[in-house]
Amino acid sequence: MPKKLLNKIIRQIDAEELAGFTLDRRSGELCYLDKEKAKTLKIPAPMCRDFFAAVEKFLAEKGKNTSQRFRLLTPKGRVSISLDSRTENGSQKISAEIERPEKLLGFKGLGFTPEQQKKIKNILARKKGLIVVGIPAGEGLSNTIYSLAAEINLETRSAYLIAAAKEYSLKGLNFISLDYPTEEDLRTKLDWLDKKDAEVIIVPEVYERQTALALAQMANRGHLVLAGCRSRDSFSVLNSFLKAGSAQEILANFSLIISGRRARRLCPHCVEKYQTSREEIGALAKRFAWKTREAEALAPKKLLRSVGCPSCHYHGHSGKIGLYETLILDQELKAEKDILAMRNLAFEKGYRPLVLGALEAAKNGLLSLREILSLKI
Ligand SMILES: [Zn+2]
């Protein structure tokens, strides 16, 4: 494991908020980016040699030849590191891209389209309703929930967050600590909030069906409820909520479902345009179970890819973007007889699954096709 050595290197440069580095075996030079200015450190030859040996061993242990992603605890907190090994101009290079816990992105920073922003803002301003965000682990659920919460006027509406821990501090948001709540614990708190006339209730992570029912009931009693769960997409959220109680009770004030993912943004400094190939269209069709003709129609004719440069540490990426789909539950949709009929009507009304948003982002030069193929959707 190169962790010890990596730690040593990271400690050397952690103070400068390192985002990544490249180490060249031949020259022993460690290049890193500090406030968008490239800097170079000379690494002693034995340490450099050890580092390469450790990285090779680490990659071999993981059964990977060239790249691996792992987590590491540094003096400044937990970081996620993508390690990449390659040969360039006859010399072996190792580069690492380092990601720290996300800053609160805020409503505008999440990456909703202007149209999505408008609809969501409208629903967040309502007096009551149930809004559920379904995002798998590691794809930005907390950031999305807290950023949406920040858009609600928390200082003028009595607002409460029920969670094991407060991940971000928001002005005007009261915190109720509840570690791994049982349904009974949660119901006790919710009843208390109901009596207290709480207007906004935020539960960042819903674990059980019964909790889903309790939250729908709070929305029916006139509260605005914002909840998060680990679901793949909007219809999975809808499906699991509908299993929690009678459709009438669950849907009465259910207003919005949001699902999302994080994707790596292409480095803007080293992109090149190219014609989408037949192989890529084939890969898209296979990945999303589309007919070839469908994939041809959906895929952008031209795409961008990054070739790697010092400013992205030859990873080709620079930061992340959010990709979201929104499902607005209006009266017409709620009147449908089952989830399949709701799904069909949603498509007719312009519901766009996340993958279409991702293709749009690729068309706009923000994402590579490779990134879309690797999205966990
Ligand atoms: Zn680049």
Side-chain angles (χ1 to χ4, degrees):
M1 298 277 269
K3 283 191 184 180
K4 247 185 176 166
L5 281 154
L6 199 54
N7 251 330
K8 219 169 180 176
I9 293 175
I10 284 171
R11 261 200 297 276
Q12 276 185 307
I13 34 194
D14 199 32
E16 302 182 68
E17 288 290 319
L18 174 75
F21 62 80
T22 306
L23 181 61
D24 188 307
R25 184 170 217 158
R26 195 163 46 195
S27 66
E29 277 180 351
L30 177 77
C31 297
Y32 65 100
L33 208 71
D34 167 47
K35 294 186 185 88
E36 306 206 351
K37 244 167 85 186
K39 289 192 175 177
T40 306
L41 259 179
K42 191 89 175 162
I43 296 294
M47 187 174 166
C48 187
R49 202 176 47 236
D50 287 354
F51 187 74
F52 274 90
V55 168
E56 274 159 17
K57 191 166 164 246
F58 176 69
L59 292 175
E61 271 170 15
K62 299 279 174 191
K64 311 243 170 162
N65 297 323
T66 53
S67 64
Q68 172 71 25
R69 193 188 240 323
F70 63 100
R71 283 172 185 274
L72 184 75
L73 204 64
T74 79
K76 287 208 169 165
R78 197 175 289 278
V79 295
S80 164
I81 301 181
S82 304
L83 207 56
D84 185 65
S85 162
R86 68 187 184 283
T87 306
E88 205 178 83
N89 302 329
S91 178
Q92 198 189 352
K93 285 185 181 176
I94 280 175
S95 51
E97 193 180 18
I98 301 172
E99 283 170 41
R100 297 193 156 74
E102 277 190 319
K103 291 197 174 73
L104 186 66
L105 293 170
F107 184 62
K108 291 210 171 94
L110 285 176
F112 289 118
T113 63
E115 200 188 336
Q116 285 173 331
Q117 282 192 25
K118 214 170 126 190
K119 286 176 182 163
I120 297 168
K121 255 181 109 129
N122 197 350
I123 292 171
L124 290 174
R126 287 182 195 165
K127 201 171 162 291
K128 64 174 177 179
L130 174 63
I131 301 160
V132 181
V133 181
I135 296 178
E139 302 278 337
L141 177 62
S142 297
N143 210 326
T144 306
I145 291 274
Y146 282 81
S147 295
L148 288 170
E151 193 61 20
I152 301 170
N153 208 341
L154 298 171
E155 286 178 79
T156 58
R157 302 170 77 177
S158 83
Y160 291 83
L161 174 91
I162 306 178
K166 193 161 62 170
E167 293 189 50
Y168 300 92
S169 271
L170 296 178
K171 223 173 170 184
L173 183 60
N174 301 290
F175 174 56
I176 298 176
S177 164
L178 201 55
D179 216 353
Y180 300 107
T182 63
E183 195 218 333
E184 209 185 313
D185 292 339
L186 187 75
R187 278 196 183 268
T188 310
K189 296 284 184 207
L190 290 175
D191 283 340
W192 180 75
L193 286 177
D194 190 39
K195 284 194 195 90
K196 239 179 117 55
D197 280 333
E199 291 166 72
V200 181
I201 297 162
I202 299 165
V203 183
E205 206 161 338
V206 175
Y207 294 99
E208 288 171 37
R209 264 184 209 173
Q210 293 312 310
T211 315
L213 177 62
L215 295 175
Q217 287 167 342
M218 284 304 273
N220 296 348
R221 284 192 225 160
H223 307 270
L224 183 71
V225 180
L226 172 61
C229 62
R230 299 290 182 193
S231 276
R232 297 167 52 83
D233 59 43
S234 304
F235 285 95
S236 308
V237 172
L238 187 59
N239 200 26
S240 67
F241 266 72
L242 283 175
K243 281 181 185 158
S246 78
Q248 205 186 3
E249 191 169 26
I250 297 290
L251 289 175
N253 285 288
F254 205 158
S255 28
L256 171 68
I257 301 175
I258 296 171
S259 185
R261 296 294 184 281
R262 287 278 182 273
R264 291 178 295 178
R265 183 204 297 261
L266 276 172
C267 168
H269 302 292
C270 59
V271 284
E272 59 175 26
K273 222 176 206 170
Y274 71 99
Q275 203 87 28
T276 312
S277 70
R278 293 211 64 79
E279 289 73 32
E280 284 175 316
I281 289 173
L284 260 182
K286 197 172 166 216
R287 171 73 179 75
F288 297 107
W290 293 333
K291 293 190 180 85
T292 310
R293 206 178 304 155
E294 251 180 307
E296 264 168 5
L298 291 169
K301 303 281 166 282
K302 285 205 167 107
L303 284 167
L304 272 90
R305 65 184 161 209
S306 52
V307 289
C309 69
S311 95
C312 60
H313 306 285
Y314 299 93
H315 272 277
H317 304 115
S318 148
K320 292 202 166 188
I321 56 167
L323 300 167
Y324 291 96
E325 62 175 39
T326 51
L327 177 66
I328 293 173
L329 299 161
D330 60 18
Q331 294 311 324
E332 278 179 356
L333 210 71
K334 290 177 189 180
E336 289 293 344
K337 63 177 192 308
D338 56 29
I339 202 158
L340 190 68
M342 286 169 95
R343 193 184 168 89
N344 290 339
L345 182 64
F347 271 97
E348 270 175 42
K349 288 178 149 234
Y351 158 76
R352 281 162 52 88
L354 198 136
V355 63
L356 296 188
L359 285 171
E360 187 71 30
K363 204 171 167 181
N364 294 331
L366 296 170
L367 283 183
S368 68
L369 194 75
R370 222 174 116 194
E371 186 70 8
I372 293 180
L373 294 172
S374 70
L375 284 174
K376 292 186 207 101
I377 47 179

